[in-house]
C-alpha cells in the first residue's frame, strides 16, 4: 500500500522542483537527506564536483522487459528493493522504462537518501525507434514522449544520465540503418535539455554486445559536430565468464581499442552466467587496468526474470524477495573492490572520433557517413513550450504516428530547421518553408537550374 505521508511529501517535492533548483528543494524539505551532488561529464570521465565518479551499479527491471512496468512509480516496489540496493552498496541503478505520466518523487527521494543515482532509458515498447523500420518511427509523437520523460526526471539531482536508446542496433545487419534516427534522437534530447534550461544531464546510447559493429557504433555516436555527439557511450558486455581475467576475457583489448576515445564510457550491462559467478569483473573494472578509459558499469541484473542473471527472486504480488547466494557474492565483490582513488588516469580533453566509413557492415544508406534527419517539424515547438503531459506506457504508441522528419539537419547549427522541402506525407500538415541557405553552396546559377527543374 502506498504511504499517504510519503505520497504527500513526494507531491511537494514535485511541485517545488518543477519551478526551483534542487538546492531550493533541499532547503524546503530540511527533514530529508540532502540532495546528492549532480554528476557531470568532462574529458573522458564523470564527476561529482572535483571527485571522479564511477558507476558501481545494477540493472533494475523487475518483471522483465516484456511486462513494461515502471518500478519507480510504485512506492511499495521501490521501497522493497532500494533497501537491498543500499545493502549491496551500489551507487547507481539503471531502469529500462518509466511511465512519464506518473510522479516519481518518492522513489527518487528514497534512492537519493540511499546515495543512489539513476541511469534512465527514455524509451518503452510503445514509444521507441523501430529498428526494422526506423524512418516513420522518428516522429513528433515519439519525441513528445521522450521529452516528457526528461521533464519528469531532470528535476532530481540523482538522475545521472539518460539513454537515448538500448540495443536498437543489434546483430541483425540491417538494424545498422536505425543508427541515424537514434543519433538524431540523442541530438534532440541534448538540445531539449539545453532549450528548457535544465542542467547538462549527460545523454548517450547503450550498445548491444556485438563485436562486428561495436567500434563503428562507438565512433558514430561520437563523430560530427558538437551538437550531434553524445555526452558518453555505453555498451553491454557478456564476455567475462568466470573463472576469467582481464586478458582472458578480452577486456584488455576493449581498453586498448577505446584508449583516446574522448568521452566517458561505461558498461551498461555486464555479467555472464555460463559458469558459477564470482563477480571478479570488478577486480578489473575498479582498478587502474581500466580506470583511464572506463567509468565502471552495471551488473545485469537485480531480479531473476526467466534467466539466471538475477541475484534475487521476486514473488509476484507480495513483498517477498529471496536473496540468492549471488546477492552476497556481489555484495562482497563490491566491498572488496572499491572505486579507484585519485583521478584514475583520466584524459581531461574531450575528443571526437571520425565518422566510420561505409562498408558491408556499416551502411547508413541515404544518410551516408554523417548526415542526420532534421527534427520533425511538429516537435520543434517543444523546445520553447515544453513537452506537456507524457502519454505513459499505455497510450496509443508512436511508431506509426505523427509527423516525420522532412529534411537533413544542418550540423553544428544547433538549430531545429529542416534544410530541404518535402511533402510531409500522411500528416496533413503543410510542408516547411524552403531554406535558401544552400545558395551559398550551389550558387545562383545552380539555384535557378534547381528551381527550373522543380518547376518543370
Ligand atoms: C578492436 O578494434 C579492432 C579494429 O577495429 C577490431 O577488429 C576488434 O574486433 C576490436 N576488439 C574488440 C575487443 O572490440
Amino acid at each position: 500500500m502506498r504511504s499517504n505521508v510519503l505520497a504527500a511529501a513526494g507531491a511537494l517535492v514535485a511541485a517545488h522542483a518543477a519551478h526551483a533548483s534542487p538546492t531550493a528543494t533541499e532547503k524546503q524539505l530540511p527533514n530529508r537527506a540532502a540532495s546528492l551532488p549532480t554528476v557531470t561529464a568532462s574529458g573522458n570521465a564523470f564527476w561529482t564536483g572535483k571527485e571522479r565518479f564511477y558507476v558501481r551499479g545494477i540493472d533494475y527491471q523487475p518483471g522483465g522487459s516484456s511486462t513494461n512496468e515502471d518500478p519507480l512509480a510504485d512506492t511499495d516496489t521501490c521501497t522493497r528493493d532500494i533497501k537491498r540496493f543500499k545493502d549491496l552498496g551500489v551507487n547507481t541503478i539503471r531502469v529500462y522504462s518509466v511511465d512519464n505520466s506518473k510522479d516519481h518523487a518518492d522513489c527518487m527521494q528514497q534512492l537519493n537518501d540511499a546515495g543512489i543515482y539513476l541511469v534512465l532509458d527514455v524509451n518503452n515498447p510503445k514509444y521507441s525507434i523501430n529498428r526494422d523500420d526506423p524512418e516513420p518511427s522518428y516522429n513528433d509523437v515519439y519525441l513528445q514522449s521522450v521529452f516528457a520523460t526528461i521533464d519528469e526526471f531532470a528535476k532530481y539531482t540523482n538522475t545521472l544520465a539518460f539513454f537515448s536508446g538500448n540495443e536498437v542496433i543489434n546483430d541483425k545487419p540491417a538494424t545498422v540503418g536505425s543508427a541515424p534516427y537514434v543519433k538524431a534522437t540523442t541530438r534532440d534530447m541534448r538540445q531539449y535539455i539545453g532549450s528548457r534550461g535544465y542542467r547538462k544531464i549527460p545523454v548517450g546510447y547503450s550498445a548491444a554486445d556485438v563485436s562486428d559493429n561495436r567500434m563503428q557504433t562507438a565512433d558514430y555516436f561520437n563523430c560530427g559536430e558538437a551538437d550531434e555527439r553524445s555526452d558518453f557511450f555505453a555498451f553491454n558486455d557478456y564476455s567475462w565468464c568466470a573463472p576469467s581475467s582481464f586478458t582472458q576475457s578480452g577486456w584488455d583489448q576493449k581498453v586498448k581499442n577505446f584508449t583516446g576515445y574522448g568521452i566517458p564510457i561505461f558498461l551498461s550491462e555486464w555479467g555472464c552466467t555460463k559458469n558459477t559467478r564470482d563477480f571478479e569483473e570488478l577486480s578489473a573494472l575498479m582498478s587502474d587496468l581500466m580506470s583511464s578509459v572506463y567509468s565502471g558499469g552495471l551488473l545485469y541484473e537485480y531480479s531473476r526474470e526467466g534467466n539466471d542473471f538475477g541475484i534475487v527472486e521476486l514473488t509476484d504480488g507480495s513483498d517477498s524477495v529471496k536473496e540468492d547466494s549471488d546477492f552476497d557474492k556481489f555484495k562482497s565483490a563490491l566491498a572488496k573492490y572499491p572505486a579507484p582513488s585519485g583521478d584514475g588516469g583520466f584524459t581531461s580533453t574531450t575528443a571526437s572520433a571520425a565518422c566510420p566509413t561505409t562498408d558491408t557492415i556499416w551502411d547508413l544508406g541515404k544518410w551516408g557517413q554523417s548526415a542526420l534527419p532534421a527534427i520533425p517539424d511538429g516537435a520543434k515547438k517543444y523546445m520553447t513550450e515544453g513537452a506537456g503531459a507524457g502519454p505513459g506506457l499505455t497510450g496509443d504508441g508512436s511508431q506509426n504516428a505523427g509527423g516525420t522528419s522532412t529534411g537533413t539537419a544542418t550540423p553544428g547549427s544547433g538549430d531545429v530547421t529542416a534544410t530541404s522541402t518535402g511533402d510531409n506525407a500522411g500528416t496533413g500538415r503543410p510542408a516547411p518553408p524552403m531554406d535558401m541557405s544552400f545558395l551559398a553552396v550551389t550558387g545562383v546559377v545552380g539555384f535557378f537550374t534547381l528551381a527550373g527543374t522543380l518547376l518543370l
Side-chain angles (χ1 to χ4, degrees), residues 211-212 214-216 250-254 256-258:
S211 55
D212 275 357
R214 184 186 299 112
M215 295 314 296
Q216 284 106 323
W251 282 17
D252 58 337
Q253 295 304 312
K254 286 167 186 162
K256 197 166 152 245
N257 273 9
F258 280 100

Side-chain angles (χ1 to χ4, degrees), residues 7 57 67 118 142 161 169 198 275 328 366 377 425 431 438:
T67 55
L118 171 68
Y142 167 60
I169 304 152
Y198 296 138
N275 309 313
D328 292 323
K366 68 179 178 185
D377 276 351
F438 63 88

